[in-house]
Amino acid sequence: MAQPPPHTAAATTRRRVLTAPPVWRELLLVVLFYAGYTLTRIVLVQDGTGPAFAHADQILGAERALGIDIELYLNHTLLSVPWLARTANVFYATMHFIVTLGVVLWLYRYRPQHYRWLRTSIMVATGLALIGFWLYPLAPPRFLHSEGFVDPVTALHSLGLYASDASGTLTNQYAAMPSMHAGWSLWCGLILAKLATQKWAKALGALYPVTTVYVILATANHYLLDAVAGTALVGGALWVSWILYTRCPKPLVVAWAHVSDRVALRARPTTREARPGATAATRGAATRSSATAGGATRY
């Protein structure tokens, strides 16, 4: 069966990078990925909490040696303003999900040419973060009462992410390193600052990561080194994804186009051209239809 010329296949593949996938597929992908992410976090807490507290001592020791242990000061300062502490608790519990989902939807609807590589970057970073949760379980500062930390949710009987026993049971509270609150906020902030056209949206993009880092530290949910690791992870994933999607060498694009063509052609059921009596025009149409499918499965 005839194959499309290499340059045609490569052009088709590159065009698909600049268009958003079908919405039903993306919704299914998001649901499956987040369900897997949540369940994996829960499973990773099965080895007990001893290592998590040992690692907390290591993190605090490293920060004190570097002179960057600002979490306790921020925690006590926040608690001195109860209304602000309650606001921070709600912010920590909700904005992580609301803002990220909102940016994903906005990106899909209004910046489809950037959607695929940006979506891939945050998924790769989050998947790699699970390895960090597994290899380095870490107790958050709010569990270190002997160090003087206070959980604002408990102290103020406030709404919060872990305000109920059920919410605390159905998640891994020892998955602090790296901080994906910080990582996801950087992802959202960079997108808004770079791709939004309104000045107010760009300003929110710049403020959102800064606000998030302040909240996760002041509410004693993360250490500064958690935030550094989370932002570095997302920043690296963004760079790698951008390179692969927008600067991929042409020979690799052509090679992938040939592979995807062969997969698409073999995966198709018997076409009209295989039936006796099919005309040459019908066979040609089937061939062109198959060739058009080239590169459809890359991203």
Side-chain angles (χ1 to χ4, degrees):
M1 186 173 292
Q3 297 288 328
H7 67 276
T8 302
T12 301
T13 301
R14 289 191 182 278
R15 281 197 301 272
R16 290 185 181 278
V17 174
L18 301 177
T19 59
V23 65
W24 66 266
R25 196 185 79 178
E26 288 304 295
L27 288 174
L28 180 61
L29 182 64
V30 169
V31 170
L32 291 177
F33 181 82
Y34 188 73
Y37 170 70
T38 303
L39 291 174
T40 304
R41 279 179 54 127
I42 296 174
V43 170
L44 293 180
V45 77
Q46 303 304 314
D47 293 334
T49 60
F53 284 93
H55 293 155
D57 291 337
Q58 293 175 1
I59 292 294
L60 278 179
E63 289 190 348
R64 286 166 180 164
L66 294 171
I68 57 173
D69 54 324
I70 61 174
E71 299 89 351
L72 187 60
Y73 170 77
L74 293 177
N75 182 229
H76 288 180
T77 302
L78 179 67
L79 285 167
S80 67
V81 188
W83 70 265
L84 183 60
R86 291 187 175 93
T87 303
N89 289 336
V90 175
F91 183 100
Y92 181 83
T94 60
M95 300 306 285
H96 180 54
F97 307 102
I98 294 174
V99 175
T100 305
L101 180 59
V103 171
V104 169
L105 294 175
W106 177 83
L107 196 61
Y108 184 92
R109 176 65 178 84
Y110 296 105
R111 299 293 186 273
Q113 69 273 27
H114 297 284
Y115 177 80
R116 292 179 188 253
W117 76 271
L118 286 169
R119 174 258 280 148
T120 299
S121 68
I122 194 173
M123 294 183 72
V124 168
T126 304
L128 291 175
L130 290 174
I131 300 176
F133 302 156
W134 172 44
L135 295 178
Y136 201 81
L138 179 62
R142 60 190 170 83
F143 286 169
L144 306 182
H145 305 300
S146 62
E147 297 288 345
F149 290 101
V150 179
D151 184 351
V153 173
T154 303
L156 301 175
H157 304 287
S158 168
L159 293 175
L161 185 58
Y162 308 112
S164 67
D165 293 337
S167 63
T169 303
L170 294 177
T171 188
N172 180 0
Q173 298 190 60
Y174 300 93
M177 172 67 81
S179 169
M180 294 317 291
H181 268 78
W184 286 13
S185 69
L186 175 67
W187 186 84
C188 294
L190 287 176
I191 289 174
L192 291 176
K194 183 69 176 178
L195 300 181
T197 55
Q198 297 88 348
K199 290 184 178 180
W200 63 266
K202 290 181 177 292
L204 285 179
L207 289 174
Y208 178 60
V210 177
T211 303
T212 299
V213 171
Y214 167 76
V215 167
I216 67 176
L217 299 181
T219 56
N221 280 289
H222 285 280
Y223 306 91
L224 180 59
L225 290 181
D226 300 344
V228 172
T231 55
L233 179 60
V234 169
L238 280 167
W239 181 76
V240 172
S241 183
W242 180 78
I243 291 294
L244 292 177
Y245 273 76
T246 64
R247 292 293 184 268
C248 187
K250 186 175 179 180
L252 292 180
V253 176
V254 173
W256 179 258
H258 279 312
V259 171
S260 59
D261 282 342
R262 292 180 181 277
V263 171
L265 291 174
R266 291 186 178 183
R268 283 177 171 273
T270 304
T271 57
R272 293 174 60 185
E273 65 171 335
R275 294 200 302 266
T279 64
T282 301
R283 290 194 297 270
T287 300
R288 289 192 300 273
S289 176
S290 298
T292 304
T297 59
R298 180 181 182 185
Y299 301 102

